[in-house]
Amino acid sequence: MAPFALPLRVYIEDTDAGGIVYYVNYLKFMERARTEFMRTLGYDKPAFLAGDRLLVVHSANTRYLRAARLDDGLQVTAQVSRLARSYVVFRQCVYRGDELLCEAEIKVACVRQHDMRPMPLPEDVHAALAAKT
């Protein structure tokens, strides 16, 4: 299944003094892509789930391969690579045209809001994500 792709433009606020995208902004771009991917599944506020549950980033394993620069047009992808009872792992990439600039594996966990303890994903969320694997 083809990954979800979000087009983005690099603005001055995304760059350092040399016009190169600051490394942490790739993670922000990926967050936007995951959020928009979840919106396509019908979740308008995907960080907040029913039953006092939140989706939070547990870990990020990121590789930076090439630099994006001011005014570049980018494509940021999000694809479910693993799905478990209480978490989902996304494979995410940032491209400039066909050139891979950055790739990451982002683990997103479901936790109880008031004490941040792991919780199972709601059944509807799990089913929607399973349909995209």
Side-chain angles (χ1 to χ4, degrees):
M1 183 171 290
F4 172 83
L6 178 69
L8 293 174
R9 172 84 47 207
V10 176
Y11 296 106
I12 190 75
E13 67 191 27
D14 302 317
T15 65
D16 62 15
I20 296 172
V21 171
Y22 186 61
Y23 76 96
V24 75
N25 287 329
Y26 292 93
L27 295 174
K28 291 179 180 182
F29 298 159
M30 290 177 187
E31 176 75 29
R32 291 179 201 162
R34 285 193 312 278
T35 297
E36 294 305 321
F37 168 75
M38 293 298 289
R39 284 184 198 283
T40 69
L41 301 179
Y43 301 99
D44 290 339
K45 294 180 181 62
F48 299 97
L49 302 175
D52 189 37
R53 296 176 203 186
L54 297 173
L55 291 177
V56 298
V57 172
H58 171 277
S59 56
N61 183 6
T62 309
R63 285 184 357 130
Y64 301 96
L65 305 166
R66 301 263 188 259
R69 298 180 180 277
L70 180 62
D71 208 37
D72 281 350
L74 306 177
Q75 290 284 325
V76 185
T77 66
Q79 186 170 31
V80 175
S81 65
R82 274 195 319 264
L83 180 61
R85 190 172 151 231
S86 63
Y87 68 86
V88 57
V89 177
F90 291 93
R91 172 167 163 62
Q92 295 197 253
C93 298
V94 178
Y95 294 95
R96 178 179 48 225
D98 292 332
E99 183 180 20
L100 178 62
L101 304 180
C102 181
E103 62 184 350
E105 185 175 87
I106 310 288
K107 182 177 182 181
V108 178
C110 182
V111 298
R112 189 171 32 227
Q113 186 172 3
H114 71 274
D115 64 5
M116 304 302 276
R117 302 289 299 163
M119 292 281 296
L121 288 160
E123 288 181 23
D124 62 319
V125 174
H126 193 278
L129 291 169
K132 295 294 185 177
T133 57

